[in-house]
Amino acid sequence: MHFGHLITTGNIMSADTKIAELLTELHQLIKQTQEERSRSEHNLLNIQKTHERMQTENKTSPYYRTKLRGLYTTARADAEAECSILRHALDKIAEIKSLLEERRIAAKMAGVNSDNDPPRKTMRRGVLMTLLQQSAMTLPLWIGKPGDSPPPLCGAMPANSDYVAKQGDKVAARVKAVDGDEQWILAEVVSYSHSTNKYEVDDIDEEGKERHTLSRRRIIPLPQWKANPETDPEALFSKDQLVLALYPQTTCFYRALIHTHPHRPQDDYSVLFEDTSYADGYSPPLNVAQRYVVACKENKKK
């Protein structure tokens, strides 16, 4: 076994230990959240009862005003405390997901570097589609503090001009197909060279088993957070905006128009794919998750 393989295996075991610790911490935070919520319920009930008494007596006395002011101040403090615990829990979840991704990459590299292991089997298409769907569902929702603006790569927000996708990130990559035509595919970043300003990416569809070396202009990073339509509508693509969207049950991106944008955090976009087989040049509306909708670099319709 290669020395590099031994190091990678050690990294995987270290990640497992850290994940176990984080899960224990997350469990404690969830318990604290419930305790905080139970404690605040008593105060919320007092607010409700005070309002009911005021309605019964049909008056707002200085006593009630003072009492409500104190109750609402406490309620706000309770809500902020619960919010703080929840944000801490979300940070733990993000850390766990990051370690799981590092472990996956390490296991992948161990398989590549080992001469003794049998060749890796191609993932079944149905399994791949399920994994892509799960990746879209578990994309974290951006939850900013009051006054915060959505960050780059939240929904439709573009990456910064100097942004470099890291190893393991999923991207839309423009590659040459077997027939010579160019197409946008779902790919995974293997590496980036600052000297050549080029990426190495793997086609996510293992049936292709292809590695591509591409310039930055041929790479579009995928969103790292879902945008909340209720709080950050500016981070969503607008109706009739031209985008690249992953066609359902495939690993290729095609040009499409936004038909409707999500109305709730868990909703998908509804898009109209360019399709010359239809009289108006567009497909019927199809749902595509926020994870797989990116800005189209080509603004003019072909």
Side-chain angles (χ1 to χ4, degrees):
M1 185 179 290
H2 289 299
F3 180 63
H5 192 185
L6 282 168
I7 293 175
T8 306
T9 304
N11 289 343
I12 293 172
M13 292 175 65
S14 175
D16 285 347
T17 302
K18 182 62 177 175
I19 289 169
E21 293 174 358
L22 287 168
L23 285 170
T24 301
E25 293 173 17
L26 180 60
H27 181 250
Q28 291 301 318
L29 286 168
I30 292 170
K31 286 176 64 179
Q32 286 179 35
T33 303
Q34 189 56 50
E35 290 167 2
E36 188 68 37
R37 187 165 297 176
S38 298
R39 189 173 64 82
S40 64
E41 282 177 356
H42 176 70
N43 187 65
L44 293 174
L45 185 60
N46 277 341
I47 291 175
Q48 181 183 343
K49 287 181 177 179
T50 302
H51 276 291
E52 288 172 354
R53 288 195 199 100
M54 287 169 59
Q55 288 178 347
T56 302
E57 297 177 14
N58 197 24
K59 66 177 181 178
T60 306
S61 66
Y63 165 76
Y64 282 131
R65 282 200 295 268
T66 302
K67 183 177 181 180
L68 280 174
R69 190 179 296 114
L71 288 172
Y72 276 114
T73 300
T74 301
R76 177 173 176 173
D78 289 346
E80 289 174 347
E82 185 179 336
C83 183
S84 176
I85 297 170
L86 286 171
R87 288 186 184 280
H88 197 186
L90 288 171
D91 289 342
K92 295 294 179 187
I93 292 170
E95 198 173 345
I96 290 167
K97 289 182 72 173
S98 177
L99 285 168
L100 287 170
E101 181 66 5
E102 288 177 14
R103 187 178 70 175
R104 183 189 68 81
I105 294 170
K108 180 180 177 182
M109 296 306 296
V112 169
N113 294 331
S114 174
D115 294 331
N116 300 324
D117 294 339
R120 186 174 50 154
K121 294 181 180 179
T122 299
M123 188 182 299
R124 294 202 310 274
R125 189 116 190 125
V127 174
L128 176 59
M129 293 301 113
T130 299
L131 289 175
L132 295 183
Q133 187 179 28
Q134 289 175 348
S135 175
M137 290 175 62
T138 58
L139 187 68
L141 179 71
W142 168 253
I143 305 174
K145 295 179 180 178
D148 284 354
S149 297
L153 296 180
C154 171
M157 304 300 288
N160 290 328
S161 58
D162 59 350
Y163 178 79
V164 174
K166 63 181 183 295
Q167 183 186 34
D169 279 0
K170 306 300 187 294
V171 296
R174 190 174 186 179
V175 301
K176 279 194 175 180
V178 178
D179 58 7
D181 289 341
E182 295 200 331
Q183 62 181 4
W184 288 94
I185 65 167
L186 181 60
E188 180 177 315
V189 173
V190 177
S191 63
Y192 177 78
S193 170
H194 288 276
S195 59
T196 63
N197 288 328
K198 289 188 176 181
Y199 285 98
E200 277 201 336
V201 300
D202 282 343
D203 187 340
I204 201 71
D205 189 345
E206 291 187 346
E207 289 179 2
K209 293 185 179 177
E210 294 181 71
R211 181 160 293 180
H212 305 272
T213 302
L214 304 169
S215 62
R216 290 181 63 163
R217 64 185 177 84
R218 288 179 169 267
I219 296 291
I220 304 176
L222 298 191
Q224 294 183 352
W225 297 276
K226 280 186 282 195
N228 187 343
E230 297 166 358
T231 57
D232 303 300
E234 72 276 18
L236 293 169
F237 291 110
S238 305
K239 180 176 172 60
D240 294 330
Q241 190 169 347
L242 183 63
V243 296
L244 289 172
L246 195 71
Y247 197 89
Q249 299 303 307
T250 76
T251 57
C252 292
F253 291 84
Y254 297 98
R255 291 156 59 94
L257 292 179
I258 298 295
H259 180 57
T260 59
H261 58 70
H263 295 289
R264 300 172 300 170
Q266 67 269 31
D267 290 345
D268 295 337
Y269 282 101
S270 174
V271 305
L272 309 173
F273 285 98
E274 291 184 357
D275 191 335
T276 55
S277 65
Y278 291 91
D280 62 356
Y282 293 97
S283 71
L286 293 171
N287 287 348
V288 181
Q290 280 197 51
R291 170 74 163 163
Y292 303 121
V293 180
V294 295
C296 185
K297 290 189 173 183
E298 308 155 358
N299 293 323
K300 295 181 180 179
K301 184 178 176 180
K302 294 180 181 178

